[in-house]
Tab-separated table of all heavy atoms in Angstrom:
chain	number	residue	atom	x	y	z
H	1	LEU	N	-22.490	-16.002	-5.731
H	1	LEU	CA	-21.157	-15.410	-5.805
H	1	LEU	C	-21.173	-13.979	-5.280
H	1	LEU	O	-22.089	-13.211	-5.576
H	1	LEU	CB	-20.643	-15.433	-7.247
H	1	LEU	CG	-20.346	-16.807	-7.853
H	1	LEU	CD1	-19.970	-16.664	-9.315
H	1	LEU	CD2	-19.236	-17.509	-7.087
H	2	ASN	N	-20.140	-13.641	-4.526
H	2	ASN	CA	-20.023	-12.282	-3.984
H	2	ASN	C	-18.589	-12.092	-3.508
H	2	ASN	O	-17.786	-13.029	-3.532
H	2	ASN	CB	-21.006	-12.087	-2.817
H	2	ASN	CG	-21.309	-10.621	-2.542
H	2	ASN	OD1	-20.618	-9.718	-3.037
H	2	ASN	ND2	-22.337	-10.365	-1.753
H	3	ASP	N	-18.277	-10.894	-3.093
H	3	ASP	CA	-16.987	-10.614	-2.479
H	3	ASP	C	-16.779	-11.613	-1.339
H	3	ASP	O	-17.640	-11.759	-0.459
H	3	ASP	CB	-17.001	-9.176	-1.954
H	3	ASP	CG	-15.765	-8.804	-1.165
H	3	ASP	OD1	-14.831	-9.624	-1.068
H	3	ASP	OD2	-15.742	-7.675	-0.643
H	4	SER	N	-15.650	-12.299	-1.344
H	4	SER	CA	-15.410	-13.350	-0.355
H	4	SER	C	-15.500	-12.833	1.079
H	4	SER	O	-15.888	-13.569	1.987
H	4	SER	CB	-14.037	-13.995	-0.587
H	4	SER	OG	-13.002	-13.039	-0.454
H	5	LYS	N	-15.151	-11.556	1.286
H	5	LYS	CA	-15.180	-10.981	2.632
H	5	LYS	C	-16.607	-10.819	3.158
H	5	LYS	O	-16.815	-10.681	4.360
H	5	LYS	CB	-14.458	-9.623	2.651
H	5	LYS	CG	-12.979	-9.694	2.297
H	5	LYS	CD	-12.298	-8.351	2.447
H	5	LYS	CE	-12.812	-7.335	1.446
H	5	LYS	NZ	-12.512	-7.701	0.040
H	6	LEU	N	-17.585	-10.815	2.263
H	6	LEU	CA	-18.978	-10.643	2.657
H	6	LEU	C	-19.696	-11.976	2.854
H	6	LEU	O	-20.880	-11.994	3.198
H	6	LEU	CB	-19.724	-9.813	1.596
H	6	LEU	CG	-19.156	-8.414	1.324
H	6	LEU	CD1	-19.965	-7.713	0.245
H	6	LEU	CD2	-19.149	-7.583	2.612
H	7	LEU	N	-18.991	-13.066	2.643
H	7	LEU	CA	-19.576	-14.400	2.786
H	7	LEU	C	-19.079	-15.062	4.060
H	7	LEU	O	-17.962	-14.804	4.516
H	7	LEU	CB	-19.198	-15.271	1.577
H	7	LEU	CG	-19.635	-14.768	0.202
H	7	LEU	CD1	-18.998	-15.626	-0.882
H	7	LEU	CD2	-21.159	-14.793	0.076
H	8	SER	N	-19.893	-15.933	4.613
H	8	SER	CA	-19.457	-16.697	5.772
H	8	SER	C	-18.398	-17.710	5.339
H	8	SER	O	-18.288	-18.062	4.153
H	8	SER	CB	-20.633	-17.444	6.400
H	8	SER	OG	-21.093	-18.467	5.527
H	9	GLU	N	-17.614	-18.185	6.297
H	9	GLU	CA	-16.588	-19.176	5.984
H	9	GLU	C	-17.202	-20.421	5.361
H	9	GLU	O	-16.675	-20.964	4.393
H	9	GLU	CB	-15.819	-19.546	7.250
H	9	GLU	CG	-14.683	-20.522	7.010
H	9	GLU	CD	-13.895	-20.833	8.276
H	9	GLU	OE1	-14.204	-20.238	9.330
H	9	GLU	OE2	-12.984	-21.668	8.217
H	10	ARG	N	-18.322	-20.860	5.894
H	10	ARG	CA	-18.988	-22.053	5.356
H	10	ARG	C	-19.438	-21.834	3.913
H	10	ARG	O	-19.274	-22.714	3.068
H	10	ARG	CB	-20.189	-22.412	6.231
H	10	ARG	CG	-20.969	-23.617	5.729
H	10	ARG	CD	-22.115	-23.973	6.650
H	10	ARG	NE	-21.633	-24.481	7.927
H	10	ARG	CZ	-22.442	-24.928	8.895
H	10	ARG	NH1	-23.761	-24.895	8.718
H	10	ARG	NH2	-21.937	-25.381	10.019
H	11	LYS	N	-19.997	-20.655	3.636
H	11	LYS	CA	-20.470	-20.356	2.274
H	11	LYS	C	-19.287	-20.275	1.310
H	11	LYS	O	-19.361	-20.782	0.183
H	11	LYS	CB	-21.237	-19.030	2.282
H	11	LYS	CG	-21.844	-18.655	0.937
H	11	LYS	CD	-22.902	-19.654	0.496
H	11	LYS	CE	-23.616	-19.194	-0.765
H	11	LYS	NZ	-24.607	-20.189	-1.236
H	12	ARG	N	-18.198	-19.640	1.747
H	12	ARG	CA	-17.003	-19.557	0.893
H	12	ARG	C	-16.489	-20.946	0.527
H	12	ARG	O	-16.173	-21.218	-0.638
H	12	ARG	CB	-15.884	-18.775	1.597
H	12	ARG	CG	-16.072	-17.289	1.660
H	12	ARG	CD	-14.765	-16.583	2.005
H	12	ARG	NE	-14.209	-17.008	3.282
H	12	ARG	CZ	-14.433	-16.386	4.426
H	12	ARG	NH1	-15.223	-15.339	4.489
H	12	ARG	NH2	-13.847	-16.819	5.553
H	13	GLU	N	-16.403	-21.801	1.519
H	13	GLU	CA	-15.853	-23.130	1.269
H	13	GLU	C	-16.767	-23.947	0.372
H	13	GLU	O	-16.300	-24.743	-0.450
H	13	GLU	CB	-15.605	-23.837	2.597
H	13	GLU	CG	-14.452	-23.210	3.378
H	13	GLU	CD	-14.202	-23.880	4.709
H	13	GLU	OE1	-15.051	-24.722	5.111
H	13	GLU	OE2	-13.176	-23.572	5.350
H	14	SER	N	-18.077	-23.764	0.505
H	14	SER	CA	-19.025	-24.448	-0.371
H	14	SER	C	-18.862	-23.972	-1.813
H	14	SER	O	-18.781	-24.772	-2.754
H	14	SER	CB	-20.457	-24.198	0.105
H	14	SER	OG	-21.404	-24.715	-0.807
H	15	LEU	N	-18.784	-22.640	-1.993
H	15	LEU	CA	-18.628	-22.080	-3.335
H	15	LEU	C	-17.264	-22.417	-3.934
H	15	LEU	O	-17.145	-22.572	-5.147
H	15	LEU	CB	-18.808	-20.559	-3.288
H	15	LEU	CG	-20.252	-20.083	-3.123
H	15	LEU	CD1	-20.294	-18.594	-2.794
H	15	LEU	CD2	-21.063	-20.371	-4.386
H	16	PHE	N	-16.260	-22.551	-3.094
H	16	PHE	CA	-14.917	-22.915	-3.546
H	16	PHE	C	-14.959	-24.207	-4.361
H	16	PHE	O	-14.409	-24.279	-5.474
H	16	PHE	CB	-14.020	-23.083	-2.313
H	16	PHE	CG	-12.592	-23.462	-2.610
H	16	PHE	CD1	-11.685	-22.520	-3.057
H	16	PHE	CD2	-12.145	-24.764	-2.400
H	16	PHE	CE1	-10.358	-22.855	-3.306
H	16	PHE	CE2	-10.832	-25.110	-2.641
H	16	PHE	CZ	-9.934	-24.161	-3.095
H	17	GLY	N	-15.630	-25.218	-3.840
H	17	GLY	CA	-15.736	-26.488	-4.554
H	17	GLY	C	-16.575	-26.377	-5.816
H	17	GLY	O	-16.243	-26.969	-6.854
H	18	ILE	N	-17.644	-25.599	-5.743
H	18	ILE	CA	-18.521	-25.441	-6.904
H	18	ILE	C	-17.792	-24.704	-8.034
H	18	ILE	O	-17.899	-25.076	-9.208
H	18	ILE	CB	-19.804	-24.673	-6.508
H	18	ILE	CG1	-20.623	-25.510	-5.529
H	18	ILE	CG2	-20.634	-24.324	-7.744
H	18	ILE	CD1	-21.785	-24.757	-4.898
H	19	ILE	N	-17.059	-23.660	-7.678
H	19	ILE	CA	-16.315	-22.899	-8.689
H	19	ILE	C	-15.298	-23.789	-9.385
H	19	ILE	O	-15.195	-23.796	-10.623
H	19	ILE	CB	-15.613	-21.682	-8.048
H	19	ILE	CG1	-16.643	-20.675	-7.535
H	19	ILE	CG2	-14.666	-21.003	-9.057
H	19	ILE	CD1	-16.083	-19.655	-6.565
H	20	LYS	N	-14.533	-24.536	-8.621
H	20	LYS	CA	-13.524	-25.417	-9.218
H	20	LYS	C	-14.167	-26.453	-10.132
H	20	LYS	O	-13.580	-26.835	-11.146
H	20	LYS	CB	-12.705	-26.104	-8.121
H	20	LYS	CG	-11.800	-25.154	-7.357
H	20	LYS	CD	-10.705	-25.893	-6.600
H	20	LYS	CE	-11.261	-26.826	-5.574
H	20	LYS	NZ	-10.170	-27.535	-4.834
H	21	ASP	N	-15.363	-26.899	-9.786
H	21	ASP	CA	-16.059	-27.909	-10.595
H	21	ASP	C	-16.652	-27.320	-11.865
H	21	ASP	O	-16.594	-27.937	-12.931
H	21	ASP	CB	-17.159	-28.548	-9.748
H	21	ASP	CG	-17.968	-29.568	-10.541
H	21	ASP	OD1	-17.362	-30.538	-11.050
H	21	ASP	OD2	-19.194	-29.398	-10.652
H	22	LYS	N	-17.209	-26.112	-11.767
H	22	LYS	CA	-17.959	-25.553	-12.897
H	22	LYS	C	-17.156	-24.603	-13.792
H	22	LYS	O	-17.548	-24.360	-14.940
H	22	LYS	CB	-19.203	-24.817	-12.382
H	22	LYS	CG	-20.286	-25.746	-11.844
H	22	LYS	CD	-21.563	-24.969	-11.569
H	22	LYS	CE	-22.714	-25.889	-11.189
H	22	LYS	NZ	-23.982	-25.136	-11.021
H	23	ALA	N	-16.089	-24.048	-13.289
H	23	ALA	CA	-15.325	-23.075	-14.084
H	23	ALA	C	-14.668	-23.739	-15.284
H	23	ALA	O	-14.279	-24.914	-15.240
H	23	ALA	CB	-14.271	-22.411	-13.214
H	24	ILE	N	-14.514	-22.985	-16.350
H	24	ILE	CA	-13.791	-23.466	-17.532
H	24	ILE	C	-12.309	-23.586	-17.202
H	24	ILE	O	-11.638	-24.534	-17.619
H	24	ILE	CB	-14.030	-22.517	-18.714
H	24	ILE	CG1	-15.472	-22.683	-19.211
H	24	ILE	CG2	-13.036	-22.772	-19.849
H	24	ILE	CD1	-15.889	-21.700	-20.266
H	25	ALA	N	-11.808	-22.627	-16.428
H	25	ALA	CA	-10.407	-22.675	-16.000
H	25	ALA	C	-10.237	-21.809	-14.759
H	25	ALA	O	-10.959	-20.828	-14.574
H	25	ALA	CB	-9.485	-22.176	-17.109
H	26	TRP	N	-9.305	-22.203	-13.906
H	26	TRP	CA	-8.966	-21.386	-12.733
H	26	TRP	C	-7.504	-21.624	-12.388
H	26	TRP	O	-6.936	-22.671	-12.698
H	26	TRP	CB	-9.871	-21.684	-11.542
H	26	TRP	CG	-9.761	-23.076	-11.004
H	26	TRP	CD1	-10.448	-24.170	-11.448
H	26	TRP	CD2	-8.909	-23.541	-9.955
H	26	TRP	NE1	-10.082	-25.286	-10.733
H	26	TRP	CE2	-9.140	-24.934	-9.804
H	26	TRP	CE3	-7.985	-22.921	-9.121
H	26	TRP	CZ2	-8.469	-25.695	-8.861
H	26	TRP	CZ3	-7.314	-23.682	-8.175
H	26	TRP	CH2	-7.564	-25.055	-8.059
H	27	SER	N	-6.913	-20.625	-11.765
H	27	SER	CA	-5.497	-20.724	-11.444
H	27	SER	C	-5.189	-19.838	-10.245
H	27	SER	O	-5.870	-18.831	-10.018
H	27	SER	CB	-4.651	-20.282	-12.640
H	27	SER	OG	-3.280	-20.227	-12.308
H	28	ILE	N	-4.166	-20.225	-9.499
H	28	ILE	CA	-3.722	-19.438	-8.351
H	28	ILE	C	-2.285	-18.982	-8.579
H	28	ILE	O	-1.437	-19.770	-9.015
H	28	ILE	CB	-3.803	-20.260	-7.052
H	28	ILE	CG1	-5.267	-20.562	-6.724
H	28	ILE	CG2	-3.135	-19.522	-5.890
H	28	ILE	CD1	-5.456	-21.551	-5.615
H	29	GLY	N	-2.022	-17.721	-8.306
H	29	GLY	CA	-0.667	-17.184	-8.363
H	29	GLY	C	-0.312	-16.652	-6.988
H	29	GLY	O	-1.199	-16.323	-6.198
H	30	ARG	N	0.953	-16.555	-6.698
H	30	ARG	CA	1.366	-16.129	-5.366
H	30	ARG	C	2.676	-15.370	-5.411
H	30	ARG	O	3.454	-15.500	-6.351
H	30	ARG	CB	1.508	-17.341	-4.448
H	30	ARG	CG	2.463	-18.385	-4.981
H	30	ARG	CD	2.362	-19.713	-4.228
H	30	ARG	NE	2.715	-19.589	-2.829
H	30	ARG	CZ	1.956	-20.011	-1.815
H	30	ARG	NH1	0.800	-20.600	-2.052
H	30	ARG	NH2	2.363	-19.859	-0.564
H	31	ALA	N	2.897	-14.588	-4.380
H	31	ALA	CA	4.197	-13.960	-4.158
H	31	ALA	C	4.532	-14.232	-2.704
H	31	ALA	O	3.710	-14.007	-1.804
H	31	ALA	CB	4.153	-12.466	-4.438
H	32	GLU	N	5.724	-14.729	-2.469
H	32	GLU	CA	6.125	-15.134	-1.126
H	32	GLU	C	6.595	-13.935	-0.297
H	32	GLU	O	6.782	-12.837	-0.806
H	32	GLU	CB	7.237	-16.186	-1.217
H	32	GLU	CG	6.864	-17.416	-2.042
H	32	GLU	CD	5.703	-18.215	-1.456
H	32	GLU	OE1	5.350	-18.004	-0.279
H	32	GLU	OE2	5.145	-19.048	-2.183
H	33	VAL	N	6.764	-14.188	0.985
H	33	VAL	CA	7.163	-13.136	1.922
H	33	VAL	C	8.448	-12.436	1.475
H	33	VAL	O	8.549	-11.199	1.544
H	33	VAL	CB	7.347	-13.728	3.340
H	33	VAL	CG1	7.978	-12.701	4.264
H	33	VAL	CG2	6.012	-14.199	3.894
H	34	GLU	N	9.416	-13.210	1.009
H	34	GLU	CA	10.688	-12.625	0.564
H	34	GLU	C	10.483	-11.667	-0.612
H	34	GLU	O	11.149	-10.630	-0.703
H	34	GLU	CB	11.664	-13.734	0.169
H	34	GLU	CG	12.097	-14.650	1.297
H	34	GLU	CD	11.063	-15.713	1.653
H	34	GLU	OE1	10.063	-15.861	0.912
H	34	GLU	OE2	11.253	-16.393	2.680
H	35	GLU	N	9.556	-12.017	-1.497
H	35	GLU	CA	9.269	-11.144	-2.640
H	35	GLU	C	8.539	-9.890	-2.183
H	35	GLU	O	8.788	-8.785	-2.692
H	35	GLU	CB	8.450	-11.908	-3.670
H	35	GLU	CG	9.218	-13.050	-4.320
H	35	GLU	CD	8.358	-13.888	-5.245
H	35	GLU	OE1	7.330	-14.419	-4.785
H	35	GLU	OE2	8.717	-14.026	-6.424
H	36	ILE	N	7.625	-10.038	-1.230
H	36	ILE	CA	6.908	-8.880	-0.688
H	36	ILE	C	7.894	-7.889	-0.082
H	36	ILE	O	7.817	-6.678	-0.322
H	36	ILE	CB	5.881	-9.335	0.371
H	36	ILE	CG1	4.774	-10.171	-0.286
H	36	ILE	CG2	5.288	-8.127	1.097
H	36	ILE	CD1	3.852	-10.868	0.699
H	37	ASP	N	8.834	-8.407	0.697
H	37	ASP	CA	9.824	-7.535	1.330
H	37	ASP	C	10.771	-6.893	0.313
H	37	ASP	O	11.257	-5.782	0.524
H	37	ASP	CB	10.638	-8.329	2.355
H	37	ASP	CG	9.840	-8.661	3.606
H	37	ASP	OD1	8.854	-7.943	3.894
H	37	ASP	OD2	10.190	-9.637	4.291
H	38	ALA	N	11.005	-7.584	-0.783
H	38	ALA	CA	11.958	-7.080	-1.780
H	38	ALA	C	11.358	-6.023	-2.704
H	38	ALA	O	12.025	-5.052	-3.061
H	38	ALA	CB	12.503	-8.242	-2.611
H	39	ILE	N	10.078	-6.183	-3.084
H	39	ILE	CA	9.516	-5.300	-4.121
H	39	ILE	C	8.309	-4.492	-3.644
H	39	ILE	O	7.745	-3.731	-4.418
H	39	ILE	CB	9.147	-6.088	-5.393
H	39	ILE	CG1	8.070	-7.143	-5.096
H	39	ILE	CG2	10.394	-6.743	-5.995
H	39	ILE	CD1	7.587	-7.893	-6.340
H	40	ASN	N	7.880	-4.651	-2.430
H	40	ASN	CA	6.739	-4.023	-1.760
H	40	ASN	C	5.443	-4.780	-2.063
H	40	ASN	O	5.341	-5.515	-3.042
H	40	ASN	CB	6.621	-2.501	-2.007
H	40	ASN	CG	6.054	-2.121	-3.367
H	40	ASN	OD1	5.061	-2.662	-3.837
H	40	ASN	ND2	6.702	-1.136	-4.008
H	41	ILE	N	4.453	-4.587	-1.213
H	41	ILE	CA	3.243	-5.397	-1.260
H	41	ILE	C	2.408	-5.145	-2.515
H	41	ILE	O	1.798	-6.074	-3.057
H	41	ILE	CB	2.389	-5.191	0.016
H	41	ILE	CG1	1.199	-6.149	0.045
H	41	ILE	CG2	1.958	-3.752	0.164
H	41	ILE	CD1	1.551	-7.624	-0.010
H	42	LEU	N	2.360	-3.904	-2.990
H	42	LEU	CA	1.583	-3.639	-4.203
H	42	LEU	C	2.172	-4.388	-5.388
H	42	LEU	O	1.453	-5.080	-6.123
H	42	LEU	CB	1.531	-2.137	-4.502
H	42	LEU	CG	0.879	-1.759	-5.844
H	42	LEU	CD1	-0.549	-2.281	-5.935
H	42	LEU	CD2	0.918	-0.250	-6.059
H	43	GLN	N	3.477	-4.260	-5.592
H	43	GLN	CA	4.107	-4.936	-6.722
H	43	GLN	C	4.025	-6.457	-6.571
H	43	GLN	O	3.867	-7.178	-7.568
H	43	GLN	CB	5.572	-4.496	-6.843
H	43	GLN	CG	5.745	-3.029	-7.203
H	43	GLN	CD	4.987	-2.641	-8.461
H	43	GLN	OE1	5.010	-3.362	-9.461
H	43	GLN	NE2	4.306	-1.495	-8.416
H	44	ALA	N	4.105	-6.940	-5.339
H	44	ALA	CA	3.977	-8.384	-5.111
H	44	ALA	C	2.562	-8.858	-5.445
H	44	ALA	O	2.374	-9.947	-5.995
H	44	ALA	CB	4.321	-8.716	-3.663
H	45	SER	N	1.567	-8.040	-5.136
H	45	SER	CA	0.184	-8.380	-5.468
H	45	SER	C	-0.011	-8.462	-6.980
H	45	SER	O	-0.664	-9.380	-7.493
H	45	SER	CB	-0.776	-7.336	-4.888
H	45	SER	OG	-0.695	-7.284	-3.490
H	46	LEU	N	0.564	-7.507	-7.686
H	46	LEU	CA	0.467	-7.506	-9.147
H	46	LEU	C	1.209	-8.698	-9.742
H	46	LEU	O	0.763	-9.295	-10.728
H	46	LEU	CB	1.022	-6.195	-9.706
H	46	LEU	CG	0.267	-4.924	-9.294
H	46	LEU	CD1	0.965	-3.685	-9.846
H	46	LEU	CD2	-1.179	-4.978	-9.765
H	47	LEU	N	2.327	-9.067	-9.122
H	47	LEU	CA	3.081	-10.233	-9.578
H	47	LEU	C	2.262	-11.500	-9.382
H	47	LEU	O	2.224	-12.375	-10.264
H	47	LEU	CB	4.395	-10.325	-8.812
H	47	LEU	CG	5.309	-11.507	-9.138
H	47	LEU	CD1	5.722	-11.501	-10.608
H	47	LEU	CD2	6.546	-11.485	-8.241
H	48	ALA	N	1.588	-11.611	-8.240
H	48	ALA	CA	0.733	-12.774	-7.984
H	48	ALA	C	-0.405	-12.846	-9.003
H	48	ALA	O	-0.741	-13.930	-9.502
H	48	ALA	CB	0.175	-12.703	-6.569
């Protein structure tokens, strides 16, 4: 495990499956383009 930006695409994708399999829980949140434009990127990131 490491910062995703420091891993190769192949390594990230391999770890992606392992994390989903071994983690107790995982979840994804998002903010759409319209929300980014409405509240700015920092606030949209925090919302996600």
Side-chain angles (χ1 to χ4, degrees):
L1 293 175
N2 201 347
D3 174 4
S4 61
K5 298 185 294 296
L6 301 179
L7 301 171
S8 68
E9 183 178 357
R10 178 178 292 183
K11 183 64 173 177
R12 285 196 301 266
E13 290 179 350
S14 173
L15 285 168
F16 180 77
I18 294 170
I19 294 164
K20 291 198 298 180
D21 178 59
K22 289 189 173 184
I24 288 173
W26 64 274
S27 173
I28 293 170
R30 56 193 298 128
E32 304 297 345
V33 171
E34 295 79 9
E35 293 174 303
I36 294 170
D37 287 337
I39 62 176
N40 77 46
I41 186 58
L42 173 58
Q43 294 306 316
S45 299
L46 297 177
L47 179 60

